[in-house]
């Protein structure tokens, strides 16, 4: 079970990250280009990024509780006994990525309150970018390319 969830979490990360990057680029280009917020393309791209990030979070939370490098590492070694690599996987990666998903969700919720396309694009651009930067800061890069 652990291997399947780990593989799903790893491969879905590439897809979620790519769609999130596309959503940020789309929002920034819409803001700079003063486009009208299209309820088809713009809405769906932002929504798809939100949904994929939430699915990735749920799979990650399941993985956190079944993985030997998640909750069980903290229970076994305690917070003070974790190496920097173990701390990244057991504490920093989950915590920062939860904050990233919160930022993305705030951006989605805020954009729904606006009628003006520029404000919609601005809300998505700012909060999705914050989420993207947080996610990129805590990806275990050493494991990604192995």
């Amino acid at each position: 079970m652990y291997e399947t969830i780990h593989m799903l979490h790893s491969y879905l990360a590439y897809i979620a990250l790519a769609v999130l990057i596309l959503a940020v680029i789309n929002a920034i280009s819409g803001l700079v280009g003063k486009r009208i917020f299209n309820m088809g393309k713009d809405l769906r791209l932002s929504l798809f990024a939100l949904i994929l990030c939430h699915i990735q979070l749920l799979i990650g939370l399941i993985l956190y509780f079944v993985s030997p490098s998640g909750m069980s590492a903290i229970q076994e070694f305690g917070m003070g006994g974790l190496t920097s690599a173990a701390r990244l996987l057991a504490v920093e990666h989950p915590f920062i990525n939860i904050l990233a998903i919160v930022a993305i969700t705030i951006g989605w919720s805020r954009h729904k309150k606006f009628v003006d396309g520029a404000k919609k694009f601005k809300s998505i651009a700012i909060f999705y970018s914050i989420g993207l930067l947080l996610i990129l800061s805590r990806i275990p890069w050493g494991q990604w390319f192995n």
Side-chain angles (χ1 to χ4, degrees):
M1 180 173 155
Y2 163 71
E3 294 295 327
T4 305
I5 294 171
H6 187 265
M7 187 182 306
L8 184 62
H9 185 67
S10 296
Y11 288 122
L12 185 60
Y14 292 109
I15 299 167
L17 194 57
V19 173
L20 183 59
I21 290 169
L22 285 174
V24 168
I25 291 170
N26 182 61
I28 291 172
S29 70
L31 185 62
V32 171
K34 299 185 190 303
R35 285 193 336 233
I36 295 172
F37 191 83
N38 183 340
M39 293 310 242
K41 184 190 95 169
D42 298 324
L43 179 82
R44 289 185 184 176
L45 184 59
S46 303
L47 180 61
F48 198 51
L50 175 84
I51 291 169
L52 281 174
C53 288
H54 277 88
I55 291 171
Q56 180 70 355
L57 173 67
L58 289 175
I59 294 169
L61 287 174
I62 293 168
L63 183 63
Y64 183 75
F65 290 106
V66 299
S67 170
S69 58
M71 181 62 110
S72 61
I74 295 173
Q75 290 172 341
E76 184 176 339
F77 300 111
M79 289 297 286
L82 295 174
T83 64
S84 63
R87 188 181 67 241
L88 173 68
L89 292 175
V91 180
E92 295 170 6
H93 178 75
F95 180 71
I96 296 299
N97 286 334
I98 288 171
L99 291 179
I101 302 304
V102 167
I104 291 167
T105 305
I106 290 171
W108 175 259
S109 296
R110 281 178 45 94
H111 110 277
K112 293 190 301 183
K113 295 178 183 176
F114 300 122
V115 175
D116 182 32
K119 289 182 180 181
K120 286 179 173 287
F121 281 127
K122 184 176 180 182
S123 177
I124 291 172
I126 290 171
F127 287 97
Y128 278 41
S129 295
I130 290 170
L132 178 62
L133 289 174
L134 287 172
I135 289 170
L136 290 175
S137 75
R138 290 298 154 224
I139 289 177
W141 293 106
Q143 290 182 358
W144 255 41
F145 297 117
N146 287 337

